[in-house]
């Protein structure tokens, strides 16, 4: 039985490191994995989506609507944008940060209010956390991605050590302690 995780965010937030770290945890656990990056205008603050699929044998890296076990989102509007990909019993793990898309910045649209409430009203299980504050508490605002992984790790059946080992493999030594702290803050808050 394959599992599907979508990582969604805005360009420059570290979605690539998050998906590589998750992939490393799954690989170390012996799963067949496929990771597919779907870039929008990532370099311009546009939407970025990464699919991570794992199981005994995975043939395709693509996740279709209604197939995601988890959506990990760096931003509220991005979480709301991809809810149709979630399984009926799936879960969204989301950073409560709001990054205004271009139509909002230019005044052509308004940022929707109470997105967490609207998703919950639609019957979606949402775990919303202020990952930016926790990343800053760990020592850098750039660790939002690792805080989110820490949060996701609470719902996955892999030991804490597996996640920390993956972080050690992928994060430069100079940033290792900050990222480990960020992971633990996400996991334990």
């Amino acid at each position: 039985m394959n599992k599907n995780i979508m990582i969604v965010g805005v360009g420059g937030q570290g979605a690539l490191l998050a998906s590589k770290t998750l992939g490393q945890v799954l690989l170390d656990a012996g799963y067949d994995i496929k990771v597919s990056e779907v870039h929008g205008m990532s370099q311009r603050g546009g939407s970025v989506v990464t699919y991570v699929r794992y199981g005994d044998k995975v043939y395709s890296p693509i996740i279709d609507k209604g197939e995601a076990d988890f959506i990990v989102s760096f931003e509220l509007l991005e979480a709301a944008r991809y809810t149709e990909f979630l399984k009926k019993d799936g879960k969204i793990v989301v950073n409560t940060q709001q990054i205004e898309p271009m139509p909002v910045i230019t005044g052509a649209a308004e940022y929707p209010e109470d997105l967490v409430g609207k998703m919950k009203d639609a019957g979606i299980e949402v775990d919303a956390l202020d990952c930016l504050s926790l990343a800053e508490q760990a020592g850098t605002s750039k660790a939002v991605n690792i805080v989110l992984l820490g949060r996701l790790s609470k719902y996955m059946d892999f030991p804490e050590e597996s996640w920390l080992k993956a972080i050690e493999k992928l994060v430069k030594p100079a940033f290792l302690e900050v990222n480990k702290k960020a992971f633990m803050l996400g996991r334990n808050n």
Side-chain angles (χ1 to χ4, degrees):
M1 175 90 164
N2 292 342
K3 293 277 190 183
N4 304 308
I5 300 168
M6 287 178 68
I7 299 174
V8 301
V10 175
Q13 289 187 301
L16 188 58
L17 178 61
S19 61
K20 281 183 176 176
T21 305
L22 175 59
Q24 188 67 55
V25 169
L26 300 170
L27 205 58
D28 290 347
Y31 286 102
D32 182 28
I33 66 165
K34 298 280 185 286
V35 177
S36 170
E37 294 157 38
V38 180
H39 291 280
M41 293 291 287
S42 58
Q43 68 280 7
R44 303 232 172 115
S47 197
V48 177
V49 181
T50 305
Y51 301 129
V52 179
R53 301 191 69 217
Y54 70 100
D56 294 330
K57 188 69 189 142
V58 179
Y59 295 99
S60 166
I62 304 301
I63 298 172
D64 288 322
K65 291 177 181 175
E67 290 186 348
D69 294 281
F70 292 98
I71 294 176
V72 178
S73 182
F74 285 72
E75 198 272 341
L76 281 170
L77 193 56
E78 292 298 317
R81 184 175 290 168
Y82 290 100
T83 55
E84 64 192 346
F85 283 86
L86 205 60
K87 281 183 175 174
K88 289 214 182 305
D89 59 347
K91 180 187 285 287
I92 293 179
V93 177
V94 62
N95 176 18
T96 55
Q97 185 177 4
Q98 295 181 5
I99 298 173
E100 294 184 344
M102 198 49 71
V104 172
I105 292 169
T106 62
E110 287 188 27
Y111 198 98
E113 303 218 355
D114 190 26
L115 286 171
V116 172
K118 288 175 182 170
M119 288 186 281
K120 287 181 177 179
D121 287 347
I124 297 169
E125 195 174 339
V126 180
D127 182 353
L129 186 70
D130 184 349
C131 298
L132 180 59
S133 290
L134 291 173
E136 288 169 346
Q137 191 179 322
T140 177
S141 61
K142 292 184 171 147
V144 165
N145 55 350
I146 304 299
V147 173
L148 271 168
L149 278 185
R151 196 58 170 193
L152 174 66
S153 76
K154 290 177 59 159
Y155 304 108
M156 296 184 75
D157 206 16
F158 302 104
E160 188 178 292
E161 302 76 50
S162 298
W163 295 88
L164 293 171
K165 197 184 299 180
I167 291 168
E168 286 171 6
K169 284 182 183 174
L170 295 166
V171 173
K172 292 178 182 162
F175 305 109
L176 193 53
E177 287 313 307
V178 167
N179 280 278
K180 282 182 171 180
K181 188 174 180 183
F183 175 84
M184 295 310 293
L185 285 168
R187 187 174 172 97
N188 297 324
N189 270 295

